[in-house]
Amino acid sequence: MEKINQLLEEFRNIAENPSKQLEKFLKQGKKVIACAPVYTPEEIIHSMGLIPMGVWGADMEIKEAKSYFPAFICSIAQSILEQGQKGYFDGISAIVIPSLCDSLKCLGENWKYAVPNIPFIPMTYPQNRKNEVGIEFTKASYKRVIKDLERITGQKFSEESLAKSNKIYNEHNEVMRQISDVLVDYPFITASQRNDIFKSAYLMEKENHTSLVKSLIEELKKMPKEENKKIKVITSGILADSKNLLEIFEENNLQIVGDDIAHESRQYRVDIKNDGNALDGLALKFSEMDNCSVLFDVDKKRADYIVNMAKVKNAAGVLMIMTKFCDPEEFDYAIIKKACEEAKIPCIPIEVDRQMVNYEQAKTIVQTFVENI
Amino acid sequence: MSEEVKKSKHELDPNSAKAKLNKIIVDHYAGVQAAKDRGEKIGWCASNFPQEIFQTLGIKVCYPENQAAAIAARGAGQRMCEIAESDGYSNDICAYARISLAYMKVKDAPEQNMPQPDFLLCCNNICNCMIKWYENIAKELNIPLILIDIPFNPDYEVSDAQVAYVKGQFLAAIKQLEEITGKKWSDEKFKEVMAISNRTSRAWLEATSYTKYQPSPLNGFDLLNHMAVAVCARGTIEAAEAFETLTREYKKAVEEGTSTFRAEEKYRIMFEGIACWPHLRTTATGLKSRGINMVATIYADAFGFIYNDFDGLIKAYCNVPNAMNLEHARDVRKAIVKKTNAEGLLVHTNRSCKLWSGFMYEMSRQIGEDCNVPVISFDGDQADPRNFSEAQYDTRVQGLMEIMETNKGGK
Ligand code: SF4
Ligand code: SF4
């Protein structure tokens, strides 16, 4: 148990101190590349000997970004810019911003002027990503990222090195899927601790994160499974890392037994097939990704995916963590809500915002959900 | 991105451009309805979907954006938005999408009806919101959706990779549509359609260019109305002829010193963004009463698709305003400000449109500095009447006027 607590403490320390991590990498003489949501080809960055570091904004008051963004842009995009303007990312070599939603397109454009000391590298993904022309376009966009990274950092790209990184990332995917499943049997681990495990993945070299998670899995498996008295839920949305919100889950005895959060499990669903050219493999991976609000989904499979997850995991309900002003999620919500209704699974929207200080509404929603079970 | 055409209150000369343009819209909706009644498959189509495709195939479509604008202009924006909201759609979602999703459900809006779709044609060169909106309709109505994905271009020029990607989708879309409708593609017809589209676009660009005259022979708000034709009938001879008539009328007006701007033109501005359809009168009056004419809008250029060949066509669709990076979008606007001698920039910070408004602060700052014109913005919404304050609008426009006045004094 002591070992488990130590590991959980380590995840928390890292998750809560991105600046410390950045400082550590810079001190080691490493070059760091910021990776904005929702999907960045981290494998490429990693393979070039650079440190990819996820930036998803922070819970903070938006001040300076207001001169770039109107108020109705989500607080994730706003706070990433705000952090950039305030110097949180100083020392970082570049930022890669994929343009998978309208607000992210704007983040890239604003970045060039608001944070001129950190170069912006655009990553343009195709939405028709499954056919040949789509895969080719993904590859062309990757090549453009590689060119920019080479120019800015002086590091070189090689296929062999990417093949190695692809393997490291696949292994990481695997342990992340595993930990999500394993945690179901250990309800003493809180929602907040679960989030630390996922969040720290963005702030470490993946191989190191993999071994930490592996140790945790090993230690947990040594323990007897405890009787589970918690209320099992599924979470869905872009981001659910607010400590205040996660505490409310705790107070109400909720256990997250699976998630469809972009910042969490959506990252780890698809592996790279390592049988051919490494860059092709990476482009193919993107073509196989699905069930996400920022990826064209003509059949709205995501709704069924969530319903199915809730059934398989025996969840009492689906908590839709809605980032305010996130229109991709807002559109999907209407369809997911309907699918859940048909399957008789409670689907509870909880609006969150990185600027939020008052969680009373969220609290009431969660309490009502629990009372109605 | 679109507009409405007001019903004429009094008899119009049937040979006037206005009558012709109005007729095109009326005929357009009637034509789609007639096709539907004949049992043909008809589509709903995004305003910037390459119309050359379905024009060539002889397929009829109608435009949810035009419809939403018309519904909003005729006062039903809030009613329709609330229907969508009761289905779980957030009121932060683009109001065109909300109106359209509501219409899909209730299937009736006396303000502007149109037939229900058998398939959907989506193109996201104006926004990704479009994808989500059409996905939901496709799911709810269980009909096919064809997406031509034209990604936002972070570079100034359109890359070969992007052209290849869009071209591939263009060809795939033709095949899919052939399968859905049973109609056949003809290269001959395609050439014809491209020629007509170019002719219409040239006529549109020429007509809109008349705002460069001082005073302008037209009230710029006229363009917002005529734009519906540029959207829905670009590939038709009637549209080309109507815009050519419009050009002749403007030419004559310049010679005779008349204008559809019914006030003395004291100031000339560029208006940035989609009109506030629910408050069209208020916004127009706020300008006219101060002698401010809108002589510049990105819309004029937005629907002028000029190209020489297939690659050119693809590039034209990659270079629509919301698909261009800040520098490119800025330079296009700077050229418009210069060409029209606009003395100020009035920016509609449109709550519906995240992409349009999301980097407008910086872009308009740069335009203002580079062109040495004052920039003032106001908060509004293209179709949800609740997101506009008349008092704020009035104060801002007054402020803009005062700076323009001072600038004139100084010159
Ligand atoms: S939260 Fe939504 S709107 Fe904001 S950046 Fe992410 S996907 Fe885009
Ligand atoms: S989000 Fe903007 S560009 Fe897209 S449909 Fe709405 S108004 Fe048009």
Side-chain angles (χ1 to χ4, degrees):
Chain A
M1 194 65 198
E2 200 182 320
K3 183 85 206 289
I4 291 176
N5 284 335
Q6 264 173 18
L7 285 163
L8 292 173
E9 189 62 22
E10 195 166 347
F11 285 121
R12 207 195 71 203
N13 261 327
I14 293 166
E16 285 185 353
N17 296 296
S19 303
K20 238 193 193 155
Q21 286 299 103
L22 173 60
E23 212 177 293
K24 197 181 88 192
F25 290 131
L26 294 176
K27 265 204 192 120
Q28 292 168 355
K30 292 185 172 146
K31 290 186 175 158
V32 179
I33 305 295
C35 299
V38 178
Y39 304 106
T40 320
E42 277 197 29
E43 293 87 341
I44 291 177
I45 298 167
H46 181 273
S47 78
M48 293 172 71
L50 304 162
I51 308 278
M53 202 161 164
V55 293
W56 293 66
D59 290 345
M60 67 200 302
E61 197 191 336
I62 305 296
K63 282 188 186 146
E64 297 185 21
K66 278 187 182 157
S67 56
Y68 289 86
F69 279 130
F72 49 82
I73 301 293
C74 77
S75 56
I76 296 183
Q78 301 244 19
S79 63
I80 293 173
L81 194 68
E82 179 87 14
Q83 286 184 304
Q85 289 173 288
K86 290 214 169 110
Y88 281 60
F89 304 137
D90 285 359
I92 280 185
S93 302
I95 183 167
V96 180
I97 306 176
S99 52
L100 280 163
C101 76
D102 293 331
S103 305
L104 287 167
K105 297 174 190 173
C106 299
L107 174 61
E109 295 309 302
N110 285 329
W111 186 274
K112 293 184 271 191
Y113 299 95
V115 195
N117 58 322
I118 299 177
F120 157 55
I121 301 178
M123 173 62 215
T124 310
Y125 282 109
Q127 288 292 349
N128 273 321
R129 60 198 178 278
K130 297 189 184 288
N131 57 18
E132 217 173 290
V133 286
I135 296 169
E136 272 309 306
F137 187 69
T138 305
K139 243 177 93 177
S141 298
Y142 285 158
K143 284 185 181 157
R144 192 243 152 99
V145 169
I146 292 169
K147 226 168 88 193
D148 284 356
L149 285 171
E150 288 187 332
R151 180 175 46 81
I152 292 166
T153 66
Q155 299 288 102
K156 285 278 162 268
F157 172 81
S158 84
E159 277 286 339
E160 298 74 55
S161 180
L162 180 62
K164 277 186 209 142
S165 296
N166 283 353
K167 282 205 184 102
I168 291 170
Y169 272 76
N170 274 356
E171 197 189 354
H172 184 248
N173 283 357
E174 176 65 35
V175 300
M176 294 311 283
R177 292 191 294 257
Q178 264 179 28
I179 187 73
S180 180
D181 287 341
V182 168
L183 288 180
V184 177
D185 292 327
Y186 303 93
F188 71 88
I189 296 201
T190 66
S192 180
Q193 286 168 328
R194 182 183 186 277
N195 178 256
D196 293 335
I197 301 171
F198 280 93
K199 195 170 180 177
S200 54
Y202 290 97
L203 307 169
M204 293 175 73
E205 284 162 294
K206 285 293 178 294
E207 48 275 55
N208 297 341
H209 194 255
T210 300
S211 63
L212 265 193
V213 179
K214 270 188 174 166
S215 315
L216 180 64
I217 294 173
E218 266 166 38
E219 291 302 320
L220 284 171
K221 284 193 168 160
K222 285 183 201 157
M223 287 182 60
K225 290 183 188 175
E226 46 174 319
E227 195 197 344
N228 195 340
K229 289 190 182 135
K230 284 193 166 177
I231 301 162
K232 292 180 174 176
V233 292
I234 298 287
T235 49
S236 177
I238 297 292
L239 180 77
D241 74 343
S242 153
K243 288 285 165 198
N244 290 323
L245 181 69
L246 297 170
E247 251 165 49
I248 295 172
F249 292 176
E250 265 320 294
E251 284 160 12
N252 287 280
N253 209 28
L254 303 186
Q255 185 195 9
I256 299 170
V257 291
D259 78 83
D260 165 54
I261 300 282
H263 179 250
E264 300 174 14
S265 294
R266 275 192 220 172
Q267 300 290 328
Y268 306 117
R269 289 171 186 162
V270 181
D271 292 338
I272 306 155
K273 290 188 190 69
N274 273 321
D275 44 6
N277 171 299
L279 198 63
D280 284 345
L282 199 58
L284 273 178
K285 171 190 168 185
F286 182 70
S287 79
E288 287 168 11
M289 285 168 59
D290 269 315
N291 300 318
C292 173
S293 55
V294 298
L295 303 177
F296 180 45
D297 178 9
V298 69
D299 302 315
K300 288 279 175 189
K301 289 190 291 287
R302 179 179 169 213
D304 304 328
Y305 181 88
I306 291 172
V307 166
N308 190 45
M309 193 196 300
K311 283 184 184 160
V312 171
K313 303 272 181 178
N314 220 344
V318 176
L319 303 180
M320 297 292 300
I321 315 297
M322 306 293 295
T323 298
K324 182 139 178 76
F325 299 120
C326 173
D327 54 341
E329 288 286 318
E330 288 166 351
F331 276 102
D332 276 6
Y333 169 68
I335 305 285
I336 294 167
K337 171 177 169 254
K338 225 171 145 179
C340 286
E341 269 164 18
E342 276 162 21
K344 302 209 164 36
I345 296 166
C347 173
I348 316 295
I350 303 174
E351 194 168 75
V352 291
D353 188 307
R354 280 199 166 295
Q355 296 192 78
M356 203 153 104
V357 278
N358 183 342
Y359 281 78
E360 281 313 307
Q361 203 186 358
K363 203 178 229 169
T364 315
I365 294 171
V366 172
Q367 280 165 352
T368 315
F369 163 65
V370 171
E371 281 158 19
N372 286 338
I373 289 173
Chain B
M1 289 209 186
S2 318
E3 30 336 78
E4 57 111 48
V5 166
K6 278 196 215 133
K7 289 221 179 82
S8 49
K9 297 211 174 57
H10 29 251
E11 283 295 298
L12 278 173
D13 171 1
N15 291 319
S16 68
K18 195 169 180 195
K20 286 183 182 174
L21 290 163
N22 286 356
K23 185 168 180 305
I24 288 171
I25 294 295
V26 173
D27 289 353
H28 160 72
Y29 282 108
V32 189
Q33 186 62 57
K36 180 92 184 173
D37 296 342
R38 281 196 300 273
E40 283 179 31
K41 297 224 157 108
I42 68 109
W44 282 6
C45 179
S47 63
N48 267 314
F49 185 92
Q51 48 97 27
E52 289 80 356
I53 294 182
F54 52 83
Q55 291 284 6
T56 302
L57 286 164
I59 295 167
K60 299 271 185 221
V61 304
C62 39
Y63 294 86
E65 290 154 85
N66 281 11
Q67 182 200 30
I71 287 175
R74 289 165 192 157
Q78 183 167 344
R79 187 186 81 226
M80 296 298 275
C81 283
E82 283 170 354
I83 294 174
E85 286 156 26
S86 70
D87 272 338
Y89 289 100
S90 161
N91 60 7
D92 296 325
I93 286 177
C94 165
Y96 278 6
R98 272 180 286 153
I99 291 173
S100 180
L101 288 159
Y103 187 73
M104 165 202 80
K105 184 180 176 197
V106 298
K107 303 190 195 314
D108 183 36
E111 293 79 6
Q112 181 65 67
N113 271 308
M114 63 186 199
Q116 290 294 307
D118 301 296
F119 59 88
L120 301 165
L121 303 178
C122 182
C123 181
N124 61 322
N125 52 359
I126 51 169
C127 64
N128 277 20
C129 159
M130 205 85 216
I131 302 179
K132 303 306 295 179
W133 161 8
Y134 278 55
E135 267 178 7
N136 283 21
I137 296 182
K139 172 78 182 171
E140 294 285 5
L141 300 182
N142 193 20
I143 54 174
L145 157 58
I146 297 176
L147 167 69
I148 293 194
D149 168 39
I150 302 189
F152 180 84
N153 182 10
D155 298 312
Y156 206 95
E157 302 295 339
V158 180
S159 67
D160 293 345
Q162 176 148 340
V163 172
Y165 171 50
V166 176
K167 217 191 231 176
Q169 297 177 78
F170 197 99
L171 299 173
I174 293 171
K175 244 172 122 191
Q176 267 176 289
L177 263 179
E178 283 184 332
E179 277 159 23
I180 292 171
T181 63
K183 304 218 174 179
K184 276 277 154 272
W185 182 261
S186 139
D187 282 334
E188 272 310 293
K189 184 79 199 293
F190 181 45
K191 276 189 200 132
E192 232 172 81
V193 170
M194 288 202 286
I196 299 169
S197 297
N198 270 286
R199 181 177 154 196
T200 308
S201 293
R202 267 193 300 274
W204 164 252
L205 289 175
E206 201 186 337
T208 57
S209 77
Y210 271 82
T211 56
K212 69 174 180 259
Y213 289 95
Q214 301 190 36
S216 157
L218 64 144
N219 179 340
F221 273 74
D222 295 352
L223 299 180
L224 300 178
N225 289 334
H226 301 331
M227 214 164 52
V229 173
V231 171
C232 75
R234 226 158 40 233
T236 66
I237 299 269
E238 290 75 16
E241 281 173 356
F243 287 137
E244 283 158 4
T245 309
L246 192 63
T247 306
R248 282 194 293 277
E249 287 179 8
Y250 288 157
K251 189 162 179 250
K252 191 157 164 260
V254 171
E255 284 160 10
E256 294 172 356
T258 58
S259 174
T260 58
F261 185 67
R262 310 240 178 266
E264 186 199 341
E265 184 182 285
K266 290 195 217 147
Y267 312 95
R268 302 161 60 79
I269 60 158
M270 174 158 183
F271 182 90
E272 178 61 58
I274 308 176
C276 286
W277 296 115
H279 302 283
L280 198 57
R281 188 181 300 263
T282 312
T283 44
T285 309
L287 297 177
K288 202 174 76 183
S289 64
R290 294 178 170 90
I292 302 173
N293 193 8
M294 159 185 150
V295 293
T297 151
I298 189 71
Y299 267 137
D301 289 35
F303 290 101
F305 291 89
I306 304 282
Y307 49 81
N308 295 319
D309 51 18
F310 191 26
D311 274 20
L313 179 156
I314 302 285
K315 280 194 182 156
Y317 282 97
C318 292
N319 271 330
V320 303
N322 275 7
M324 290 188 279
N325 75 357
L326 189 148
E327 296 75 24
H328 196 173
R330 172 200 66 203
D331 290 350
V332 170
R333 286 166 170 88
K334 273 165 61 180
I336 296 173
V337 169
K338 290 197 174 132
K339 186 172 72 190
T340 55
N341 277 309
E343 301 155 282
L345 178 57
L346 182 62
V347 178
H348 174 196
T349 302
N350 180 354
R351 205 172 188 288
S352 268
C353 196
K354 296 185 169 63
L355 182 51
W356 205 319
S357 302
F359 60 91
M360 188 53 74
Y361 290 173
E362 175 60 21
M363 179 159 77
S364 54
R365 257 195 306 268
Q366 293 187 17
I367 298 169
E369 276 168 27
D370 295 350
C371 299
N372 201 14
V373 295
V375 178
I376 297 272
S377 63
F378 69 94
D379 301 316
D381 193 293
Q382 65 205 23
D384 186 335
R386 293 166 289 186
N387 298 328
F388 172 82
S389 146
E390 192 174 337
Q392 189 217 41
Y393 178 77
D394 212 57
T395 317
R396 300 283 166 91
V397 172
Q398 178 68 21
L400 180 65
M401 188 198 82
E402 284 165 13
I403 306 173
M404 291 192 291
E405 182 60 35
T406 312
N407 287 351
K408 273 188 203 296
K411 270 177 192 165

